[in-house]
Amino acid sequence: MALPLERTCPATGLKLFSAAETLVRWNAVTAVVFLLLGFLWVIPTTLNRVLGPEVVSANLYYQATFLHGWNMLIFWILFFEVALLYFAASAILKTPLALSRLAWAGFWLMLAGAILINYLGMAQPLSFLPFTPYVPLKAPPLFYLAVLLFAIGAILAVLVFFVTLYRAWKEKTYGPSMPLAAFGALTAAILATTTLLSGAIAFIPAFLWSLGLLPNLDPLWWRHTYWGFGHGAQQVNLAAMVTAWYLLALFTVGGTTPSERLSRMAFFLYLLGINLGSAHHLLTEPTGALSSTWTWVNTGYLIHVAVLGSLIHAFSVPAAVERGLRAKGFTQGLFSWLFRGPWGNPGFVSLILSVVLFGLLGGVSGVTMGSYDMNLKWHNTLAVVGHFKGTVVVGTSLAFMGLTYYLLPLLFRRRVIWPRLAAWQPWLFGIGMALLSLAMMRLGVVYGLPRRFGDTFSFGGNPFAFQYPPEVASLLAVMGIGGTLALAGGLLFVLLAVGTLLWGKPLSEDELRQVYAVRVENTETTPKGTYLLALVFLAFFLGYYLYNHWLLSQAWPIGTR
């Protein structure tokens, strides 16, 4: 059935234009397909870590790491973020999507690049061992071409977002100030622009070099520009994740931030300071390319501009939830609002777990790892992997999963199948990833277990191989348990999303209005419980930071034999 050119969502009151709605659908569905591929490729990497290279060879481990990383870290998240950009630009700002043909061109270019990278990783695995293909390692020209195709498609999507934003501003479709979710999407789009330009600066010369048109590339220069792309992409994810948090607080409990001005300022702080975090990949660079003065100013001061932004969001999002629930009558004590929340709603559970686990695992570990002295102990260990499992997985991915539980009925007008399983899915995925992340961080920080190394214990027969202490085996078992739970939760999400599209009950406008209506009550209430939770989080943050300094002090005893 053809969609009308414009319809008003009966649950949210948002205007949904057919071109934007179709593009959101296609990008979101494509994202879930690549999410499934990423889940399948994580199986060999986990088995290699837990059972060793005798069960899963080092070559298969490297191939799986390459394909898992690109599908999960890049394709799943960026396709979903493009869907989020189009939703914010059109539905939230109540304006038709500009340049829809250009948007479709961007989609097909992104899809072509993603498919080509998957094909190359399957057909020529030995040519694509590292996820970070540092120069002088050279991949075949098709690899660099595939990356450029994907990046150009993403740039076109961001351009469409900006033009639509300009149209909405010119036509004054959204009132005196831009809605907060659209402002967050704008932040993500600006960060995406700098990230994609940095990627172009890295990969265009690499493509020409692989063709033999450039005689050589400077390895250090390439690393600088590559991490402007590689780590910058994670800052886009951060802004998009926080945007999803504010949307979920509104959709699930009708919650709004205590101060939109303060939340906007937090997004603005991301623009000022977030990309400085990319430097942590280069802090241990032995060539002296980064001066000591620059390093200390960056890691000791400038990076905390972005940390302040995250701390503001860490208060504002839970406060929005508390305000929404207190307005519904849950006003007793400090935490009755939290206990009485809609815990059977997978969108609400995804929001809470994403905020909590991102803060406790990804956020504090990122600030710790980004400090110059602690980076010496974290760099290139499994702790780095544990960190980004706590950011882009239990943070970004879980937030996007929660938002999907609302996109399915609001855009596809289908009731989510198997509601009891849907209610358990975020718990399976979140708890599993938390166990995996914690085990990885301890294995890396305390025992120095390397990242992305396919023969962790026998070292390929190297005479300098050594025996790890027994606790390592226990932590690997925790990794296996956590990975299994997370994989089950992830595959269940894919099944629920695809199953809803295929077999979900069509929803009438009355049903959408009754079940999914966003009701914003009078929320002029003080978030008392959130104040206490924020203080507890800050105490945990300080304790974790000092604990890591203590661990660092135990690493190299001075003056003893």
Side-chain angles (χ1 to χ4, degrees):
M1 182 179 68
L3 291 173
L5 292 178
E6 175 188 328
R7 69 182 178 93
T8 300
C9 176
T12 63
L14 299 175
K15 284 188 178 180
L16 303 174
F17 297 88
S18 61
E21 191 172 358
T22 304
L23 278 159
V24 170
R25 289 181 174 200
W26 277 72
N27 278 280
V29 169
T30 304
V32 172
V33 171
F34 285 111
L35 176 67
L36 174 60
L37 291 176
F39 280 134
L40 296 178
W41 280 112
V42 80
I43 297 173
T45 65
T46 304
L47 291 178
N48 172 275
R49 288 289 188 185
V50 176
L51 302 178
E54 298 82 9
V55 177
V56 175
S57 70
N59 282 345
L60 178 56
Y61 168 82
Y62 292 126
Q63 180 188 20
T65 300
F66 173 86
L67 289 167
H68 169 69
W70 277 96
N71 282 303
M72 295 290 275
L73 198 58
I74 305 297
F75 303 146
W76 140 246
I77 288 182
L78 280 180
F79 272 109
F80 198 95
E81 285 171 350
V82 170
L84 185 60
L85 287 180
Y86 291 159
F87 181 78
S90 182
I92 294 178
L93 298 182
K94 301 177 181 179
T95 188
L97 195 68
L99 306 174
S100 59
R101 291 185 179 179
L102 196 64
W104 279 112
F107 171 79
W108 292 115
L109 283 172
M110 289 174 66
L111 185 60
I115 291 173
L116 184 54
I117 285 179
N118 273 276
Y119 168 75
L120 293 171
M122 289 286 293
Q124 305 175 44
L126 295 182
S127 298
F128 304 98
L129 298 188
F131 179 63
T132 47
Y134 286 153
V135 172
L137 294 174
K138 183 187 292 186
L142 275 178
F143 166 72
Y144 300 111
L145 177 62
V147 176
L148 290 172
L149 287 175
F150 186 85
I152 292 170
I155 288 174
L156 293 180
V158 173
L159 177 61
V160 169
F161 171 81
F162 283 132
V163 175
T164 306
L165 204 67
Y166 172 75
R167 172 190 284 177
W169 170 79
K170 187 176 180 180
E171 297 177 357
K172 297 179 172 55
T173 62
Y174 54 79
S177 62
M178 185 185 297
L180 182 60
F183 192 86
L186 172 61
T187 304
I190 294 172
L191 292 172
T193 302
T194 59
T195 296
L196 292 167
L197 288 176
S198 185
I201 293 171
F203 280 98
I204 290 175
F207 176 53
L208 299 175
W209 173 61
S210 69
L211 290 171
L213 300 178
L214 284 181
N216 54 64
L217 287 179
D218 178 71
L220 185 58
W221 172 87
W222 201 90
R223 287 184 65 183
H224 273 276
T225 54
Y226 173 81
W227 281 117
F229 164 75
H231 200 275
Q234 311 324 308
Q235 316 311 342
V236 181
N237 299 341
L238 177 63
M241 174 192 71
V242 175
T243 301
W245 285 351
Y246 284 114
L247 282 173
L248 281 171
L250 179 65
F251 288 164
T252 56
V253 297
T256 56
T257 178
S259 171
E260 281 210 6
R261 180 176 296 179
L262 188 62
S263 295
R264 292 170 196 274
M265 180 59 68
F267 278 120
F268 182 69
L269 290 175
Y270 280 171
L271 294 177
L272 292 180
I274 199 70
N275 277 331
L276 296 171
S278 303
H280 84 254
H281 295 278
L282 305 169
L283 293 180
T284 57
E285 178 60 50
T287 63
L290 303 179
S291 70
S292 297
T293 302
W294 186 92
T295 299
W296 280 107
V297 171
N298 177 289
T299 59
Y301 300 97
L302 297 181
I303 195 173
H304 294 290
V305 172
V307 174
L308 177 59
S310 289
L311 290 175
I312 292 172
H313 291 310
F315 171 79
S316 297
V317 175
V321 173
E322 180 177 357
R323 281 156 53 88
L325 287 170
R326 283 187 180 276
K328 296 181 184 302
F330 306 130
T331 58
Q332 297 299 315
L334 285 175
F335 299 114
S336 66
W337 59 274
L338 186 57
F339 297 132
R340 300 289 296 277
W343 290 101
N345 180 340
F348 178 80
V349 175
S350 296
L351 168 63
I352 298 300
L353 290 179
S354 176
V355 171
V356 171
L357 295 178
F358 176 86
L360 296 180
L361 298 177
V364 297
S365 65
V367 177
T368 302
M369 181 174 58
S371 302
Y372 180 71
D373 46 1
M374 250 92 74
N375 192 267
L376 297 172
K377 194 157 175 56
W378 283 64
H379 187 71
N380 263 349
T381 71
L382 200 60
V384 177
V385 185
H387 156 70
F388 64 69
K389 298 295 184 190
T391 53
V392 297
V393 185
V394 294
T396 305
S397 291
L398 197 53
F400 288 177
M401 288 176 180
L403 198 56
T404 301
Y405 288 116
Y406 277 83
L407 293 180
L408 288 169
L410 297 180
L411 292 184
F412 294 90
R413 284 175 278 185
R414 299 274 180 172
R415 186 185 296 276
V416 176
I417 63 171
W418 306 331
R420 289 189 179 180
L421 280 178
W424 279 102
Q425 183 273 323
W427 291 106
L428 272 177
F429 186 75
I431 292 174
M433 287 309 310
L435 291 173
L436 187 68
S437 176
L438 285 169
M440 284 181 164
M441 283 194 279
R442 184 161 183 85
L443 284 167
V445 174
V446 178
Y447 299 104
L449 220 68
R451 64 183 297 203
R452 287 188 306 204
F453 189 56
D455 192 1
T456 304
F457 301 103
S458 59
F459 299 92
N462 191 298
F464 296 103
F466 61 91
Q467 188 71 32
Y468 284 99
E471 189 192 359
V472 168
S474 301
L475 289 169
L476 287 171
V478 173
M479 266 185 62
I481 294 170
T484 301
L485 290 174
L487 181 63
L491 293 176
L492 178 57
F493 168 77
V494 174
L495 178 61
L496 289 166
V498 175
T500 297
L501 294 178
L502 296 177
W503 311 302
K505 176 190 172 185
L507 291 168
S508 67
E509 292 207 350
D510 283 341
E511 289 172 317
L512 278 170
R513 191 178 296 108
Q514 291 170 9
V515 179
Y516 296 98
V518 175
R519 298 180 178 88
V520 180
E521 311 287 347
N522 179 15
T523 56
E524 296 303 319
T525 55
T526 302
K528 302 175 184 177
T530 303
Y531 282 121
L532 181 58
L533 291 175
L535 291 175
V536 171
F537 171 71
L538 289 175
F540 168 80
F541 199 163
L542 177 62
Y544 182 86
Y545 200 75
L546 294 176
Y547 173 68
N548 274 273
H549 270 96
W550 178 83
L551 282 176
L552 182 64
S553 73
Q554 306 300 304
W556 301 293
I558 298 175
T560 60
R561 295 183 179 179

